[in-house]
């Protein structure tokens, strides 16, 4: 029998075989009787109204069943709702096909439904529309004059001390403007929804999202269903990282079509249409940093503006990260948004921190050079065990260890401080570093553990796995708790009818769901013990619960392993076919609010720059991560690698290129919207720093999904400066900026 893994063991993904053999079905792959296919028709202008729309040729196309537009779509509660959506917004969300208004380029104006995808696509090409155009703006710079601070963000705009005086008296100071370009979500799986119409007043919705119950709540409310009549399944999700926190527009279109036609309908977005919904907003940030003779920060002034849409106000925490990491007596923090004619932005891996902390860390590097101090030494000089904004101590903070271990692994002490002083053959070589920080979160979560007469343990929850390894860590925790091999663990997730779970996001799933699984298994273990203890002629004799252990599919006496009983026999002893227990985690009870909770990282980067072509290669990355207890080092390392690769994209490649005359993104394909590929990724070294943390969460876990991207782009940008001597304050750094 295979020995069960324990927490901290590197375990391969339990769902890996299902995925590589194609047995794992995604939202756009589920079959249904009489399934119809929908293809979206997108608006060709950035703002205005539809003067006329002609779908007559499409309707005459063989295989086309119907064309939905604002003129003929069914009336549902969604069109009359005043609120909706779980994005961080303060205005009502846009409702597709509600009327003839056009609010952004690529907005859906019709859905062509056919008996095959090919028929629907042919029909979609034949739908024509004329527009009354209105003035539009897709440039954040041009919108700055209309910048505003949403009411709920005004409390974060802080003035403390005297920034002007501290800056005037500083030993070193920098004052510059920094920028991040708009980035797009491009998971491997495009957003898709399959609505299965049962004909009895119920529907099953297979949807790409990060929370089946959240999607269920929003879709049920929008279309007049409830939790008993509308079920959402998202068993497998091919990447999301914020793009699936609320249902994307294809889910609403698929539901509209299903209701109108009383048929099952599937709608899958194209790669080009993935540019027409949630994205990371563009950011412009003015930063002032000043320090004294001891390199201690004496002034921080941040004024950040991110883009939002005209119809929703989406906000992020941009300005809070630097002052959190480095306490400072004199602060001036100002955050606002400016509306442009695009879809509403949304969360994208480490929302807010990936923007705000990366730009702040480039400024910190610039201050280090202004002061004449090593960039790592500047961070160490400003290290604190207290949260910079709240003044609270941390549950744990091993950032200083991360600095030390990361620098040692990277070889930072060999760095020549002068820019353009290091070479690798004909290329300039640069070394840079940065600090990463992210929130450690515990959210409400529940899990059910069921042991059947075959000795199979099933863990069930509505939790999601967006590729982060939820299946694996849930199985691993359960296996360790009840002493079972992984092959006897089944995990059932991604079903809105299962015990409740919060959205998969914010690096909270392992922290929250992991603790719920452990607690449910603990309750089941006690019930198993009680069943044996109450039986006549117990093979264990008279023992206490703390005198037994669960190992190799048995419950046995610790001091006398020969006294044992197989778990299958305990189920039989109970007289039932299975035994189950359910448990929950509540952050109000199971995590402290009296201390700060964060993950941290120290990121070191090596780049090589072709002097003639300006091409930058990131040849080495070292990320030393302090994220509490690591459940599975193998899948955790994979998460850090993914974040680091996204950081390479942020630093050097990812940018939405607009033709502002048309209000349209021009590089709307993966041929032109560049993301790192295999040839762009060299050596990435991940170090997990020891950081026990019993106060953060019941298992001491903090989560690793976001922290890998925070600081990585800054470390690369800082390395580019060290290599070239040219400071670029805009991400991504493209070769034209270096020539």
């Amino acid at each position: 029998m295979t020995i069960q893994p324990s927490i901290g063991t590197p375990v391969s993904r339990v769902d890996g075989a299902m995925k590589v053999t194609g047995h794992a079905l995604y939202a756009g792959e589920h079959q249904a009787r009489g399934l119809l296919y929908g293809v979206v028709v997108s608006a060709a202008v950035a703002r205005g109204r539809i003067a006329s729309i002609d779908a007559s040729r499409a309707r005459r196309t063989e295989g086309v069943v119907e064309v939905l537009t604002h003129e003929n779509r069914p009336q549902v509660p969604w069109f009359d709702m005043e609120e909706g959506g779980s994005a961080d917004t303060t205005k009502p969300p846009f409702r597709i096909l509600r009327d003839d208004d056009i609010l952004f380029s690529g907005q859906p104006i019709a859905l062509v439904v056919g008996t095959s995808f090919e028929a629907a696509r042919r029909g979609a090409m034949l739908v024509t529309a004329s527009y009354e155009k209105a003035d539009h703006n897709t440039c954040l710079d041009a919108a700055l004059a209309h910048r505003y601070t949403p009411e709920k963000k005004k409390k974060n705009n802080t003035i403390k001390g005297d920034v002007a005086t501290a800056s005037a008296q500083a030993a070193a100071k920098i004052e510059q403007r920094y920028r991040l370009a708009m980035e797009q979500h491009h998971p491997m799986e495009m957003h898709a929804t399959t609505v299965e119409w049962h004909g009895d007043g119920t529907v099953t919705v297979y949807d790409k999202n990060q929370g089946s119950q959240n999607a269920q709540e929003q879709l049920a409310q929008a279309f007049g269903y409830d939790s008993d009549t509308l079920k959402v399944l998202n068993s497998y999700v091919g990447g999301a990282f914020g793009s699936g926190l609320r249902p994307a527009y294809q889910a609403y279109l698929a539901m509209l079509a299903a209701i109108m036609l009383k048929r099952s309908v599937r709608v899958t977005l194209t790669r080009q249409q993935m540019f027409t919904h949630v994205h990371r907003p563009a950011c412009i940030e003015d930063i002032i940093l000043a320090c004294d003779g001891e390199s201690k920060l004496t002034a921080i002034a941040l004024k950040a503006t991110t883009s939002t849409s005209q119809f929703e106000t989406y906000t992020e925490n941009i300005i809070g990260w630097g002052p959190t990491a480095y306490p400072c007596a004199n602060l001036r923090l100002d955050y606002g948004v400016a509306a442009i004619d695009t879809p509403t932005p949304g969360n994208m891996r480490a929302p807010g921190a990936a923007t705000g902390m990366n730009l702040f860390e480039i400024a910190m590097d610039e201050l280090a050079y202004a002061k004449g101090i090593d960039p790592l030494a500047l961070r160490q000089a400003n290290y604190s065990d207290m949260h910079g904004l709240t003044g609270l101590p941390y549950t744990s903070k091993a950032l200083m260890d991360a600095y030390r271990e990361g620098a040692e692994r990277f070889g930072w002490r060999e760095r020549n401080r002068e820019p353009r002083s290091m070479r690798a053959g004909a290329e300039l070589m640069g070394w840079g570093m940065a600090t990463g920080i992210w929130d450690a979160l515990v959210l409400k979560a529940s899990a059910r553990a069921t042991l059947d007469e075959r000795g199979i343990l099933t863990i069930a929850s509505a939790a999601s796995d967006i590729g982060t390894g939820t299946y694996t860590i849930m199985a691993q925790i359960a296996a360790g708790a009840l002493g079972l091999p992984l092959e006897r663990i089944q995990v059932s997730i991604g079903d809105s009818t299962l015990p409740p779970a919060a959205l998969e996001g914010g690096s909270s799933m392992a922290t929250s769901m992991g603790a719920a699984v452990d607690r449910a298994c603990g309750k089941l273990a006690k019930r198993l013990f009680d069943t044996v203890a109450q039986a006549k002629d117990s093979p264990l004799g008279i023992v206490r619960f703390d005198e037994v252990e669960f190992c190799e599919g048995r419950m046995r006496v610790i001091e006398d392993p020969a006294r044992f009983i197989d778990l299958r026999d305990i189920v039989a002893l109970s007289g039932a076919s299975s035994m189950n227990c359910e448990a929950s985690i509540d952050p109000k009870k199971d995590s402290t609010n009296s201390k700060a909770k964060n993950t941290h990282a120290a990121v070191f980067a090596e780049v090589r720059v072709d002097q003639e072509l300006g091409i930058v290669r990131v040849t080495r990355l070292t990320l030393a991560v302090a994220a509490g207890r690591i459940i599975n080092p193998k899948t955790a390392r994979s998460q850090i690698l993914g974040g680091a690769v996204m950081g390479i994209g942020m630093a050097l490649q990812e940018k939405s290129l607009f033709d502002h005359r048309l209000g349209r993104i021009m590089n709307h394909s993966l041929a032109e919207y560049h993301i790192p590929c295999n040839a762009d990724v060299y050596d990435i070294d991940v170090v997990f720093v020891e950081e026990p943390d019993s106060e953060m969460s019941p298992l001491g876990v903090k989560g690793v999904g976001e922290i890998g991207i925070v600081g990585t782009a800054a470390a690369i940008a800082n390395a580019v400066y060290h290599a070239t001597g040219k400071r670029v304050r805009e991400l991504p750094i493209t070769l034209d900026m270096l020539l």
Side-chain angles (χ1 to χ4, degrees):
M1 178 180 289
T2 304
I3 301 298
Q4 74 279 357
S6 60
I7 292 178
T9 304
V11 173
S12 296
R13 292 175 182 268
V14 298
D15 54 331
M18 290 284 290
K19 290 180 175 178
V20 299
T21 59
H23 288 86
L25 296 181
Y26 293 83
E29 297 179 322
H30 292 273
Q31 294 301 313
R33 180 184 301 177
L35 182 65
L36 299 175
Y37 299 80
V39 172
V40 176
V41 179
S42 304
V45 300
R47 193 168 187 183
R49 60 175 296 272
I50 302 170
S52 65
I53 186 165
D54 184 359
S56 58
R57 292 178 62 201
R59 288 193 171 95
R60 292 196 299 270
T61 301
E62 182 180 357
V64 170
V65 176
E66 184 56 276
V67 181
L68 280 76
T69 70
H70 69 282
E71 297 174 335
N72 70 337
R73 49 80 179 157
Q75 178 63 30
V76 294
W78 187 45
F79 294 114
D80 299 320
M81 289 163 53
E82 294 184 2
E83 298 179 354
S86 62
D88 188 10
T89 60
T90 57
K91 292 181 181 179
F94 174 63
R95 294 172 179 84
I96 305 114
L97 305 188
R98 184 180 190 178
D99 50 35
D100 59 7
D101 282 346
I102 299 299
L103 300 178
F104 58 90
S105 179
Q107 173 186 315
I109 61 169
L111 182 74
V112 178
V113 184
T115 55
S116 68
F117 170 74
E118 290 77 14
R121 183 173 59 182
R122 283 197 300 272
M125 296 171 67
L126 298 175
V127 175
T128 59
S130 61
Y131 306 92
E132 293 178 6
K133 296 181 182 180
D135 292 339
H136 69 267
N137 173 47
T138 50
C139 177
L140 179 57
D141 285 82
L144 287 178
H146 304 288
R147 177 186 188 270
Y148 65 97
T149 299
E151 191 65 35
K152 67 178 181 178
K153 286 294 181 179
K154 288 182 179 179
K155 65 181 184 296
N156 298 325
N157 287 358
T158 302
I159 296 178
K160 184 178 75 171
D162 188 341
V163 168
T165 300
S167 299
Q169 297 173 352
K173 170 189 170 184
I174 63 104
E175 182 175 359
Q176 298 291 347
R177 172 167 283 189
Y178 301 83
R179 298 171 180 268
L180 176 72
M182 182 186 294
E183 296 183 349
Q184 301 292 327
H185 272 288
H186 283 293
M188 292 182 67
E189 178 199 16
M190 273 82 80
H191 278 268
T193 304
T194 302
V195 177
E196 187 173 6
W197 185 267
H198 300 298
D200 59 358
T202 67
V203 293
T204 300
V205 180
Y206 302 91
D207 181 61
K208 177 191 175 75
N209 61 66
Q210 291 172 242
S212 60
Q213 291 173 332
N214 177 67
Q216 177 195 50
E217 179 182 358
Q218 294 188 47
L219 293 174
Q221 183 183 20
F223 294 99
Y225 287 79
D226 57 34
S227 59
D228 293 325
T229 54
L230 187 149
K231 179 169 75 170
V232 174
L233 299 175
N234 67 331
S235 300
Y236 294 98
V237 181
F241 296 97
S243 65
L245 289 180
R246 61 177 179 175
Y249 66 70
Q250 88 288 332
Y252 293 94
L253 290 173
M255 281 293 298
L256 277 174
I259 289 169
M260 181 177 185
L261 301 172
K262 295 179 170 48
R263 297 274 298 274
S264 298
V265 177
R266 172 181 299 154
V267 180
T268 301
L269 299 186
T270 65
R271 182 59 69 183
Q272 287 72 27
Q273 287 164 348
M274 292 290 288
F275 286 82
T276 62
H277 66 126
V278 58
H279 56 271
R280 195 191 302 278
C283 179
I284 298 172
E285 184 167 21
D286 296 316
I287 300 179
I288 298 173
L289 297 180
C291 68
D292 61 19
E294 301 299 317
S295 301
K296 285 281 191 179
L297 286 168
T298 56
I300 297 175
L302 308 175
K303 183 177 181 180
T305 307
T306 55
S307 59
T308 188
S309 69
Q310 298 284 4
F311 50 92
E312 287 183 285
T313 302
Y314 173 79
T315 61
E316 292 185 344
N317 173 16
I318 302 294
I319 57 176
W321 300 100
T324 290
Y326 310 113
C328 182
N330 302 290
L331 293 176
R332 187 169 68 239
L333 307 180
D334 182 1
Y335 171 68
V337 296
I340 57 177
D341 296 303
T342 65
T344 304
N347 290 357
M348 187 170 178
R349 201 173 200 161
T355 300
M357 193 61 181
N358 275 308
L359 297 182
F360 189 92
E361 284 293 294
I362 297 173
M364 282 288 284
D365 193 72
E366 197 158 357
L367 180 65
Y369 279 95
K371 179 63 172 62
I373 186 176
D374 180 273
L376 174 58
L378 177 65
R379 272 77 172 188
Q380 291 171 324
N382 286 278
Y383 174 88
S384 174
D385 286 320
M386 309 297 285
H387 189 284
L389 291 178
T390 66
L392 294 174
Y394 288 93
T395 55
S396 66
K397 184 179 180 181
L399 177 58
M400 196 63 83
D401 292 334
Y403 285 145
R404 184 169 51 254
E405 293 185 33
E408 182 66 27
R409 290 279 285 260
F410 187 81
W412 184 260
R413 70 178 64 183
E414 304 301 322
R415 177 180 183 269
N416 189 322
R417 187 174 300 181
E418 292 301 315
R420 299 184 66 90
S421 62
M422 299 174 68
R423 280 178 165 74
E427 293 176 298
L428 296 170
M429 184 167 71
W431 289 1
M433 63 84 53
T435 301
I437 183 173
W438 179 249
D439 288 327
L441 303 173
V442 178
L443 304 178
K444 285 187 176 181
S446 300
R448 182 191 308 126
T450 303
L451 183 68
D452 67 21
E453 56 195 355
R454 303 167 298 160
I456 301 298
L457 178 67
T458 300
I459 303 298
S461 174
S464 302
D465 189 342
I466 61 173
T468 52
T470 304
Y471 278 101
T472 306
I473 63 167
M474 288 176 68
Q476 188 171 350
I477 291 168
L482 284 174
L484 289 167
L486 276 177
E487 56 265 27
R488 283 173 59 178
I489 308 294
Q490 294 181 353
V491 177
S492 179
I493 60 175
D495 183 334
S496 62
T497 65
L498 295 176
L503 289 162
E504 163 117 53
S507 302
S508 64
M509 187 56 69
T511 319
S512 312
M513 186 50 60
V517 170
D518 185 66
R519 186 167 289 179
C521 290
K523 289 178 66 175
L524 181 57
K526 183 62 168 60
R527 187 177 171 197
L528 291 167
F529 172 81
D530 290 342
T531 300
V532 175
Q534 294 166 11
K536 293 182 179 180
D537 303 320
S538 168
L540 304 185
I542 300 175
V543 292
R544 298 190 310 272
F545 183 59
D546 61 1
E547 294 176 330
V548 302
E549 64 180 354
F550 291 81
C551 187
E552 299 180 1
R554 301 169 173 176
M555 183 169 63
R556 68 188 186 189
V557 179
I558 297 172
E559 297 297 328
D560 185 6
R563 292 157 57 193
F564 68 86
I565 181 171
D566 193 286
L567 298 188
R568 288 170 289 199
D569 294 332
I570 303 177
V571 177
L573 195 62
S574 74
S577 60
S578 64
M579 300 173 67
N580 70 79
C581 287
E582 190 168 320
S584 300
I585 292 297
D586 184 345
K588 294 181 180 179
K589 301 175 182 178
D590 298 309
S591 184
T592 180
N593 285 323
S594 61
K595 292 187 177 181
K597 296 171 286 189
N598 290 93
T599 56
H600 296 88
V603 187
F604 298 83
E606 176 185 278
V607 302
R608 300 187 184 185
V609 183
D610 185 302
Q611 297 184 72
E612 295 182 353
L613 301 178
I615 296 172
V616 180
R617 297 186 299 135
V618 182
T619 47
R620 280 198 302 142
L621 282 173
T622 296
L623 294 94
V625 179
R629 190 181 188 190
I630 303 300
I631 295 176
N632 185 335
K634 188 171 187 177
T635 55
R637 177 178 180 272
S638 179
Q639 285 303 292
I640 300 300
L641 293 178
V645 171
M646 289 181 75
I648 295 173
M650 175 181 280
L652 301 176
Q653 297 176 326
E654 294 193 50
K655 183 177 185 179
S656 305
L657 294 171
F658 279 86
D659 184 330
H660 294 301
R661 298 167 301 174
L662 301 175
R664 185 180 303 173
I665 295 174
M666 304 308 293
N667 58 334
H668 56 97
S669 72
L670 292 188
E672 295 173 303
Y673 181 89
H674 294 167
I675 59 175
C677 64
N678 288 0
D680 299 308
V681 181
Y682 291 76
D683 179 38
I684 301 178
D685 183 23
V686 179
V687 184
F688 288 112
V689 178
E690 186 74 20
E691 189 184 32
D693 192 337
S694 60
E695 294 181 278
M696 164 58 209
S697 64
L699 289 179
V701 177
K702 286 186 170 182
V704 296
E706 297 352 82
I707 189 64
I709 194 174
V710 186
T712 298
I716 294 168
N718 296 339
V720 169
Y721 172 74
H722 182 237
T724 65
K726 184 171 184 178
R727 179 69 69 182
V728 180
R729 302 181 182 92
E730 180 176 349
L731 299 179
I733 300 172
T734 51
L735 56 86
D736 56 297
M737 299 176 182
L738 297 176
L739 290 176

